[in-house]
Amino acid sequence: TLHKGHLMFLREDEDRFATADLIRMMTFSGTAPELRDRLRRIKESGYHEVVVQITTGYETMIDDWARVFETV
């Protein structure tokens, strides 16, 4: 189906589209300092909320994101 693997993995028919440039442009991925910088720019643009998707099996992401958010 269209959503098989959504937020979990790329389907074989999608992986050719997932270039490094596309991932950088369309996702919120990077090192902690890069993410903090992006969050600061978002905040300076007037946004007050950001939502992140915590996926099954990676619940420790909550702590990882907390460390990023607390220094913005």
Coordinates of all heavy atoms in Angstrom, one line a residue:
T1 N 0.8 -1.2 0.0 CA 0.0 0.0 0.0 C 0.9 1.2 0.0 O 2.1 1.2 0.2 CB -0.9 0.0 1.2 OG1 -0.1 0.2 2.4 CG2 -1.8 -1.2 1.4
L2 N 0.3 2.4 -0.2 CA 1.0 3.6 -0.2 C 1.8 3.9 1.0 O 2.9 4.4 1.0 CB 0.0 4.8 -0.5 CG 0.6 6.2 -0.5 CD1 1.6 6.3 -1.7 CD2 -0.5 7.2 -0.6
H3 N 1.2 3.6 2.2 CA 1.9 3.9 3.4 C 2.7 2.8 4.1 O 3.2 2.9 5.2 CB 0.8 4.4 4.4 CG 0.3 5.7 4.0 ND1 1.0 6.9 4.1 CD2 -1.0 6.0 3.5 CE1 0.2 7.9 3.6 NE2 -0.9 7.4 3.3
K4 N 2.9 1.7 3.4 CA 3.7 0.6 3.9 C 5.1 1.1 4.2 O 5.7 1.7 3.3 CB 3.8 -0.5 2.9 CG 4.6 -1.7 3.4 CD 4.6 -2.8 2.5 CE 5.4 -4.0 3.1 NZ 5.5 -5.1 2.1
G5 N 5.5 1.0 5.4 CA 6.8 1.4 5.8 C 6.9 2.9 6.2 O 8.0 3.4 6.5
H6 N 5.8 3.6 6.2 CA 5.8 5.1 6.4 C 6.6 5.4 7.7 O 6.3 4.8 8.8 CB 4.4 5.6 6.5 CG 4.3 7.0 6.7 ND1 4.6 7.9 5.6 CD2 4.0 7.8 7.7 CE1 4.4 9.1 6.0 NE2 4.0 9.1 7.3
L7 N 7.6 6.2 7.6 CA 8.4 6.7 8.7 C 9.3 5.6 9.3 O 10.0 5.7 10.3 CB 7.6 7.3 9.9 CG 6.9 8.6 9.6 CD1 6.0 8.9 10.8 CD2 7.9 9.7 9.3
M8 N 9.4 4.4 8.6 CA 10.1 3.3 9.1 C 11.2 2.8 8.2 O 12.3 2.6 8.5 CB 9.2 2.1 9.4 CG 8.1 2.4 10.5 SD 8.8 2.8 12.1 CE 9.4 1.3 12.6
F9 N 10.9 2.7 6.9 CA 11.8 2.3 5.9 C 11.3 2.7 4.5 O 10.2 3.1 4.3 CB 12.0 0.8 5.9 CG 10.8 0.0 5.7 CD1 10.4 -0.3 4.4 CD2 10.0 -0.5 6.7 CE1 9.2 -1.1 4.1 CE2 8.8 -1.2 6.5 CZ 8.4 -1.5 5.2
L10 N 12.3 2.7 3.6 CA 11.9 3.0 2.2 C 11.5 1.7 1.5 O 12.1 0.7 1.6 CB 13.1 3.6 1.4 CG 13.4 5.0 1.8 CD1 14.7 5.4 1.1 CD2 12.3 6.0 1.3
R11 N 10.4 1.8 0.7 CA 10.1 0.7 -0.2 C 11.1 0.7 -1.3 O 11.7 1.7 -1.7 CB 8.7 0.9 -0.7 CG 7.6 0.9 0.4 CD 6.2 1.0 -0.1 NE 6.1 1.7 -1.4 CZ 5.2 2.7 -1.7 NH1 4.4 3.1 -0.8 NH2 5.2 3.2 -2.9
E12 N 11.2 -0.5 -2.0 CA 12.1 -0.7 -3.1 C 11.8 0.3 -4.2 O 12.8 0.8 -4.8 CB 12.1 -2.1 -3.6 CG 12.8 -3.1 -2.7 CD 12.9 -4.5 -3.4 OE1 12.9 -4.6 -4.6 OE2 12.9 -5.4 -2.6
D13 N 10.5 0.6 -4.4 CA 10.2 1.5 -5.5 C 10.4 3.0 -5.2 O 10.3 3.9 -6.0 CB 8.8 1.3 -6.0 CG 7.7 1.5 -4.9 OD1 8.0 1.3 -3.7 OD2 6.6 2.0 -5.3
E14 N 10.8 3.3 -3.9 CA 11.0 4.6 -3.5 C 12.5 5.0 -3.3 O 12.9 6.2 -3.4 CB 10.3 4.9 -2.2 CG 8.9 4.8 -2.2 CD 8.3 5.0 -0.8 OE1 8.8 4.5 0.2 OE2 7.2 5.6 -0.8
D15 N 13.3 4.0 -3.1 CA 14.7 4.3 -2.7 C 15.5 5.1 -3.7 O 16.4 5.8 -3.3 CB 15.5 3.0 -2.2 CG 15.7 2.0 -3.3 OD1 15.2 2.2 -4.4 OD2 16.4 1.0 -3.0
R16 N 15.2 5.0 -5.0 CA 15.9 5.8 -6.0 C 15.7 7.3 -5.8 O 16.5 8.1 -6.3 CB 15.6 5.3 -7.4 CG 14.1 5.5 -7.8 CD 13.8 4.9 -9.1 NE 12.4 4.8 -9.3 CZ 11.7 5.4 -10.3 NH1 12.4 6.1 -11.2 NH2 10.4 5.3 -10.4
F17 N 14.6 7.7 -5.2 CA 14.3 9.1 -5.0 C 15.0 9.7 -3.7 O 15.1 10.9 -3.6 CB 12.8 9.3 -4.9 CG 12.0 8.8 -6.1 CD1 11.2 7.7 -6.0 CD2 12.1 9.5 -7.3 CE1 10.5 7.3 -7.1 CE2 11.4 9.1 -8.4 CZ 10.6 7.9 -8.3
A18 N 15.4 8.8 -2.8 CA 15.9 9.3 -1.5 C 17.4 9.6 -1.6 O 18.2 8.9 -1.1 CB 15.6 8.3 -0.5
T19 N 17.7 10.7 -2.3 CA 19.1 11.2 -2.4 C 19.5 11.9 -1.1 O 18.6 12.3 -0.3 CB 19.3 12.1 -3.5 OG1 18.5 13.3 -3.3 CG2 18.8 11.5 -4.8
A20 N 20.7 12.1 -0.8 CA 21.2 12.8 0.3 C 20.7 14.2 0.3 O 20.3 14.7 1.4 CB 22.7 12.8 0.4
D21 N 20.7 14.9 -0.8 CA 20.1 16.2 -0.9 C 18.6 16.3 -0.5 O 18.2 17.2 0.2 CB 20.3 16.8 -2.3 CG 21.8 17.2 -2.6 OD1 22.5 17.4 -1.6 OD2 22.1 17.3 -3.8
L22 N 17.9 15.3 -1.0 CA 16.4 15.3 -0.7 C 16.2 15.1 0.8 O 15.4 15.8 1.4 CB 15.7 14.2 -1.5 CG 14.2 14.1 -1.2 CD1 13.5 15.2 -1.9 CD2 13.7 12.8 -1.7
I23 N 17.0 14.2 1.4 CA 16.8 13.9 2.8 C 17.1 15.2 3.6 O 16.4 15.5 4.5 CB 17.7 12.7 3.2 CG1 17.2 11.4 2.6 CG2 17.8 12.6 4.7 CD1 18.1 10.3 2.7
R24 N 18.2 15.9 3.2 CA 18.6 17.1 4.0 C 17.5 18.2 3.8 O 17.2 18.9 4.7 CB 19.9 17.7 3.5 CG 21.1 17.1 4.2 CD 22.4 17.8 3.8 NE 22.7 17.7 2.4 CZ 23.4 16.7 1.9 NH1 23.8 15.7 2.7 NH2 23.7 16.6 0.6
M25 N 16.9 18.3 2.6 CA 15.9 19.3 2.3 C 14.5 19.0 2.9 O 13.8 19.9 3.3 CB 15.7 19.5 0.8 CG 16.9 20.2 0.2 SD 16.7 20.6 -1.6 CE 15.7 19.3 -2.2
M26 N 14.1 17.7 3.0 CA 12.8 17.4 3.3 C 12.6 16.8 4.7 O 11.5 16.4 5.1 CB 12.2 16.4 2.3 CG 12.3 17.0 0.8 SD 11.2 18.4 0.6 CE 9.6 17.7 0.7
T27 N 13.7 16.6 5.4 CA 13.6 16.0 6.7 C 14.2 16.9 7.8 O 15.0 17.8 7.4 CB 14.2 14.6 6.8 OG1 15.6 14.7 6.7 CG2 13.6 13.7 5.7
F28 N 14.1 16.6 9.0 CA 14.7 17.3 10.1 C 15.8 16.3 10.6 O 15.6 15.7 11.7 CB 13.7 17.7 11.1 CG 14.1 18.9 11.8 CD1 13.8 20.1 11.3 CD2 14.6 18.9 13.1 CE1 14.2 21.3 11.9 CE2 15.0 20.0 13.8 CZ 14.7 21.3 13.2
S29 N 16.8 16.2 9.8 CA 17.9 15.2 10.1 C 19.2 16.0 10.2 O 19.5 16.9 9.5 CB 18.0 14.1 9.1 OG 16.8 13.5 8.9
G30 N 20.1 15.5 11.1 CA 21.4 16.1 11.2 C 22.0 15.9 12.6 O 21.5 15.1 13.4
T31 N 23.2 16.5 12.8 CA 23.8 16.4 14.1 C 23.1 17.2 15.1 O 22.3 18.1 14.7 CB 25.3 16.8 14.0 OG1 25.3 18.2 13.7 CG2 26.1 16.1 13.0
A32 N 23.3 17.0 16.4 CA 22.6 17.8 17.4 C 22.9 19.3 17.2 O 21.9 20.1 17.2 CB 23.0 17.4 18.8
P33 N 24.1 19.8 16.9 CA 24.3 21.2 16.7 C 23.6 21.7 15.4 O 23.0 22.8 15.4 CB 25.8 21.3 16.5 CG 26.4 20.2 17.2 CD 25.4 19.1 17.0
E34 N 23.5 20.9 14.4 CA 22.8 21.3 13.2 C 21.3 21.4 13.5 O 20.6 22.4 13.0 CB 23.0 20.3 12.0 CG 24.4 20.3 11.5 CD 24.7 19.1 10.6 OE1 24.0 18.1 10.7 OE2 25.6 19.2 9.8
L35 N 20.8 20.5 14.2 CA 19.3 20.6 14.6 C 19.0 21.8 15.4 O 18.0 22.4 15.2 CB 18.9 19.3 15.3 CG 19.0 18.0 14.4 CD1 18.7 16.8 15.2 CD2 18.0 18.1 13.2
R36 N 19.9 22.1 16.4 CA 19.7 23.2 17.2 C 19.7 24.5 16.4 O 18.8 25.4 16.6 CB 20.8 23.3 18.3 CG 20.6 22.3 19.4 CD 21.7 22.5 20.5 NE 21.6 21.3 21.3 CZ 22.6 20.4 21.4 NH1 23.7 20.5 20.6 NH2 22.5 19.3 22.2
D37 N 20.6 24.6 15.5 CA 20.7 25.8 14.6 C 19.4 25.9 13.8 O 18.8 27.0 13.7 CB 21.9 25.7 13.7 CG 22.1 26.9 12.8 OD1 22.1 28.0 13.4 OD2 22.2 26.8 11.6
R38 N 18.9 24.8 13.2 CA 17.6 24.9 12.5 C 16.5 25.2 13.4 O 15.6 26.0 13.0 CB 17.4 23.5 11.8 CG 18.4 23.2 10.6 CD 18.1 22.0 10.0 NE 16.8 22.0 9.2 CZ 16.3 21.0 8.5 NH1 16.9 19.8 8.6 NH2 15.2 21.2 7.8
L39 N 16.4 24.7 14.6 CA 15.4 25.0 15.5 C 15.4 26.5 15.9 O 14.4 27.2 16.0 CB 15.4 24.2 16.8 CG 15.0 22.7 16.6 CD1 15.4 21.9 17.8 CD2 13.5 22.7 16.4
R40 N 16.6 27.1 16.1 CA 16.7 28.5 16.4 C 16.2 29.3 15.2 O 15.5 30.3 15.5 CB 18.2 28.9 16.7 CG 18.6 28.4 18.0 CD 20.0 28.8 18.4 NE 20.5 28.2 19.6 CZ 21.4 27.2 19.6 NH1 22.0 26.8 18.5 NH2 21.7 26.6 20.7
R41 N 16.5 29.0 14.0 CA 16.0 29.7 12.9 C 14.5 29.6 12.8 O 13.8 30.6 12.4 CB 16.6 29.2 11.6 CG 18.1 29.6 11.5 CD 18.7 29.5 10.1 NE 18.4 28.2 9.4 CZ 19.3 27.2 9.5 NH1 20.4 27.2 10.1 NH2 18.9 26.1 8.8
I42 N 13.9 28.4 13.1 CA 12.5 28.3 13.1 C 11.8 29.2 14.1 O 10.8 29.8 13.9 CB 12.1 26.8 13.3 CG1 12.4 26.0 12.0 CG2 10.6 26.6 13.7 CD1 12.3 24.5 12.2
K43 N 12.4 29.2 15.3 CA 11.9 30.0 16.4 C 12.0 31.5 16.0 O 11.0 32.2 16.3 CB 12.8 29.7 17.7 CG 12.3 30.4 18.9 CD 13.2 30.0 20.1 CE 12.7 30.7 21.4 NZ 13.5 30.2 22.5
E44 N 13.1 31.9 15.4 CA 13.2 33.3 15.0 C 12.2 33.7 13.9 O 11.9 34.9 13.8 CB 14.7 33.5 14.5 CG 15.7 33.5 15.6 CD 17.1 33.4 15.1 OE1 17.4 33.4 13.9 OE2 18.0 33.3 16.0
S45 N 11.7 32.7 13.2 CA 10.7 33.0 12.2 C 9.3 33.1 12.8 O 8.4 33.4 12.0 CB 10.7 31.8 11.2 OG 12.0 31.7 10.5
G46 N 9.2 32.9 14.1 CA 7.9 33.1 14.7 C 7.2 31.8 15.1 O 6.1 31.9 15.6
Y47 N 7.7 30.7 14.8 CA 7.1 29.4 15.2 C 7.3 29.2 16.7 O 8.3 29.5 17.3 CB 7.6 28.2 14.4 CG 7.1 28.3 13.0 CD1 7.9 28.9 12.0 CD2 6.0 27.6 12.6 CE1 7.4 29.0 10.7 CE2 5.5 27.7 11.3 CZ 6.3 28.3 10.3 OH 5.8 28.4 9.0
H48 N 6.3 28.5 17.3 CA 6.3 28.3 18.8 C 6.3 26.8 19.1 O 6.5 26.4 20.2 CB 5.2 29.0 19.5 CG 5.2 30.4 19.3 ND1 6.1 31.3 19.9 CD2 4.5 31.2 18.4 CE1 5.9 32.5 19.5 NE2 4.9 32.5 18.6
E49 N 6.0 25.9 18.1 CA 5.9 24.5 18.3 C 6.5 23.7 17.2 O 6.4 24.1 16.1 CB 4.4 24.1 18.4 CG 3.6 24.7 19.6 CD 2.2 24.2 19.7 OE1 1.9 23.1 19.2 OE2 1.4 25.0 20.2
V50 N 7.1 22.6 17.6 CA 7.7 21.7 16.6 C 7.3 20.3 17.1 O 7.3 20.0 18.3 CB 9.2 21.8 16.6 CG1 9.8 20.7 15.7 CG2 9.6 23.1 16.1
V51 N 6.8 19.4 16.2 CA 6.4 18.1 16.5 C 7.4 17.1 15.9 O 7.8 17.3 14.7 CB 5.0 17.8 16.0 CG1 4.6 16.4 16.3 CG2 4.0 18.8 16.7
V52 N 7.8 16.1 16.7 CA 8.7 15.0 16.1 C 7.9 13.7 16.3 O 7.2 13.5 17.2 CB 10.0 15.0 16.8 CG1 10.8 16.2 16.5 CG2 9.9 14.8 18.3
Q53 N 8.2 12.8 15.3 CA 7.6 11.5 15.4 C 8.5 10.5 16.1 O 9.6 10.3 15.7 CB 7.3 11.0 13.9 CG 6.8 9.6 13.8 CD 5.3 9.6 14.1 OE1 4.6 10.5 13.9 NE2 4.8 8.5 14.7
I54 N 8.0 9.9 17.1 CA 8.7 8.9 17.9 C 8.2 7.6 17.3 O 7.0 7.3 17.4 CB 8.5 9.0 19.4 CG1 8.9 10.4 19.9 CG2 9.3 7.9 20.1 CD1 10.3 10.8 19.7
T55 N 9.1 6.8 16.8 CA 8.7 5.5 16.2 C 8.9 4.3 17.1 O 9.8 4.3 18.0 CB 9.5 5.3 14.9 OG1 10.9 5.3 15.1 CG2 9.1 6.3 13.8
T56 N 8.1 3.3 16.9 CA 8.1 2.1 17.8 C 9.5 1.5 17.7 O 10.1 1.3 16.6 CB 7.1 1.1 17.3 OG1 5.8 1.7 17.3 CG2 7.1 -0.1 18.1
G57 N 10.0 1.2 18.9 CA 11.3 0.6 18.9 C 12.5 1.6 19.1 O 13.6 1.2 19.4
Y58 N 12.1 2.8 19.0 CA 13.1 3.9 19.2 C 12.6 4.9 20.2 O 12.8 6.1 20.0 CB 13.4 4.6 17.8 CG 14.0 3.6 16.8 CD1 13.2 3.0 15.9 CD2 15.3 3.4 16.8 CE1 13.7 2.1 15.0 CE2 15.9 2.5 15.9 CZ 15.0 1.9 15.0 OH 15.6 1.0 14.1
E59 N 12.1 4.4 21.3 CA 11.5 5.3 22.3 C 12.6 6.2 22.9 O 12.3 7.3 23.5 CB 10.8 4.5 23.4 CG 9.5 3.9 22.9 CD 9.7 2.6 22.1 OE1 10.8 2.1 22.0 OE2 8.6 2.1 21.5
T60 N 13.8 5.8 22.9 CA 14.9 6.6 23.4 C 15.1 8.0 22.7 O 15.7 8.9 23.1 CB 16.3 5.9 23.4 OG1 16.5 5.5 22.0 CG2 16.2 4.7 24.3
M61 N 14.4 8.0 21.5 CA 14.4 9.3 20.8 C 13.9 10.5 21.6 O 14.3 11.6 21.4 CB 13.6 9.2 19.5 CG 14.2 8.3 18.4 SD 13.0 8.0 17.1 CE 12.9 9.6 16.4
I62 N 13.0 10.2 22.5 CA 12.4 11.2 23.4 C 13.5 11.9 24.1 O 13.6 13.1 24.2 CB 11.4 10.6 24.3 CG1 10.2 10.1 23.6 CG2 11.0 11.6 25.4 CD1 9.2 9.3 24.4
D63 N 14.4 11.1 24.7 CA 15.6 11.7 25.4 C 16.5 12.4 24.5 O 17.0 13.5 24.9 CB 16.3 10.6 26.2 CG 15.4 10.0 27.3 OD1 14.6 10.7 27.9 OD2 15.6 8.8 27.5
D64 N 16.8 11.9 23.3 CA 17.7 12.5 22.4 C 17.1 13.9 22.0 O 17.8 14.9 21.9 CB 17.8 11.6 21.1 CG 18.5 10.3 21.4 OD1 19.2 10.2 22.4 OD2 18.3 9.3 20.6
W65 N 15.8 13.9 21.6 CA 15.2 15.2 21.2 C 15.2 16.2 22.4 O 15.4 17.4 22.2 CB 13.8 15.0 20.7 CG 13.9 14.6 19.2 CD1 13.6 13.4 18.7 CD2 14.2 15.4 18.1 NE1 13.7 13.4 17.3 CE2 14.1 14.6 17.0 CE3 14.6 16.7 18.0 CZ2 14.4 15.1 15.7 CZ3 14.9 17.2 16.8 CH2 14.8 16.4 15.6
A66 N 14.9 15.7 23.6 CA 14.9 16.6 24.8 C 16.3 17.3 24.9 O 16.3 18.5 25.2 CB 14.6 15.8 26.0
R67 N 17.4 16.6 24.7 CA 18.7 17.2 24.8 C 18.9 18.2 23.7 O 19.5 19.3 24.0 CB 19.8 16.1 24.7 CG 19.9 15.3 26.0 CD 21.2 14.4 26.0 NE 21.1 13.3 25.0 CZ 20.4 12.2 25.3 NH1 19.9 12.0 26.4 NH2 20.4 11.2 24.4
V68 N 18.3 18.0 22.6 CA 18.4 19.0 21.5 C 17.5 20.3 21.9 O 18.0 21.4 21.8 CB 18.0 18.5 20.1 CG1 17.8 19.5 19.1 CG2 18.9 17.4 19.7
F69 N 16.3 20.0 22.3 CA 15.4 21.1 22.5 C 15.8 22.0 23.7 O 15.6 23.2 23.7 CB 14.0 20.6 22.8 CG 13.3 20.1 21.6 CD1 12.6 18.9 21.6 CD2 13.2 20.9 20.4 CE1 12.0 18.4 20.4 CE2 12.6 20.4 19.3 CZ 11.9 19.2 19.3
E70 N 16.4 21.4 24.7 CA 16.7 22.1 26.0 C 17.7 23.2 25.8 O 17.8 24.1 26.6 CB 17.0 21.2 27.1 CG 18.3 20.4 26.9 CD 18.5 19.3 28.0 OE1 17.6 19.0 28.7 OE2 19.6 18.8 28.0
T71 N 18.5 23.2 24.7 CA 19.5 24.2 24.5 C 19.2 25.2 23.4 O 20.0 25.9 22.9 CB 20.9 23.5 24.2 OG1 20.7 22.7 23.1 CG2 21.3 22.7 25.4
V72 N 17.9 25.2 23.0 CA 17.5 26.1 21.9 C 17.0 27.4 22.5 O 16.2 27.4 23.5 CB 16.5 25.5 21.0 CG1 15.9 26.5 20.0 CG2 17.1 24.3 20.3

